Amino acid sequence: MEHDKREKRADQFFRRELRDSDVQKSAHYTFKDGFRLGFGFFIGFILGGLILILISSLANQLFKIF
């Protein structure tokens, strides 16, 4: 009997504490969002690689002069 009362109190407490209005809903990502994220990483990787190649070739040219 005492065990049931404690369960009911705990249940009521958590229902009050975790109302739907207080809990932030998790973001729902779609395939379109995943594609945008993956495409962004791909473009960033390509641009980063091109920038590194450009910097290394410029450094190589500078060191050839000296």
Side-chain angles (χ1 to χ4, degrees), residues 10-25:
D11 190 40
Q12 289 173 355
F13 172 77
F14 284 113
R15 282 188 185 180
R16 271 181 296 172
E17 292 296 318
L18 299 174
R19 281 186 229 126
D20 287 340
S21 61
D22 296 339
V23 176
Q24 182 180 3
K25 297 201 185 290

Side-chain angles (χ1 to χ4, degrees), residues 45-61:
F45 181 75
I46 295 296
L47 286 177
L50 288 175
I51 289 170
L52 285 176
I53 290 170
L54 180 66
I55 289 173
S56 63
S57 66
L58 287 175
N60 192 16
Q61 293 296 326

Side-chain angles (χ1 to χ4, degrees), residues 23-40:
V23 176
Q24 182 180 3
K25 297 201 185 290
S26 63
H28 296 284
Y29 293 107
T30 62
F31 290 113
K32 194 175 187 180
D33 295 327
F35 176 76
R36 287 179 183 163
L37 182 65
F39 191 67

